[in-house]
Amino acid sequence: MRLDKFLKVSRLIKRRTLAKEVADQGRIMVNGKKAKASTDVKEGDELAIRFGQKLVTARVEMLKDSVKKDEAGNMFTILKEEKLDKVEPEFIDDED
């Protein structure tokens, strides 16, 4: 499954276009390598996603094309969340 689709279906990122933008900015790594939106993800892959000043690491648990809202959390396991001290200016997200 494509990375951007997985992020949307699992609700780690709300919109697929936003997931694509985040990947294109180099803020997502799959198994330690920078990933594009089209990167193929498999069960067991580790995703590291930078959200502003937070780095979230998650493991892909299952792949489905569509799930109900309450089942979306079963698609991944959060391994760790860490706060970053300094963020490069181009990665600051002002949309909130």
Side-chain angles (χ1 to χ4, degrees):
M1 175 183 284
R2 284 176 56 108
L3 174 61
D4 56 347
K5 183 168 184 178
F6 173 80
L7 292 170
K8 182 217 178 274
V9 172
S10 67
R11 292 173 170 78
L12 275 167
I13 295 181
K14 290 183 182 178
R15 294 185 320 275
R16 190 167 176 176
T17 53
L18 182 59
K20 182 183 180 321
E21 288 173 17
V22 171
D24 289 345
Q25 292 172 356
R27 293 167 44 184
I28 303 176
M29 300 191 58
V30 176
N31 297 326
K33 298 179 189 155
K34 279 195 179 179
K36 296 181 182 178
S38 61
T39 300
D40 205 33
V41 293
K42 303 175 290 306
E43 291 179 11
D45 283 352
E46 262 190 38
L47 309 177
I49 308 164
R50 193 165 65 231
F51 295 104
Q53 290 187 304
K54 188 166 66 169
L55 181 66
V56 176
T57 306
R59 182 177 44 243
V60 177
E61 297 296 343
M62 88 177 143
L63 300 173
K64 285 191 175 182
D65 285 334
S66 65
V67 293
K68 293 183 177 162
K69 189 175 184 179
D70 9 327
E71 297 172 10
N74 298 334
M75 293 183 69
F76 61 91
T77 302
I78 299 290
L79 301 175
K80 64 181 173 182
E81 288 185 45
E82 46 191 309
K83 189 173 187 315
L84 303 174
D85 294 333
K86 187 176 177 188
V87 177
E88 297 155 38
E90 67 265 19
F91 295 120
I92 294 175
D93 185 12
D94 307 355
E95 289 187 304
D96 292 345

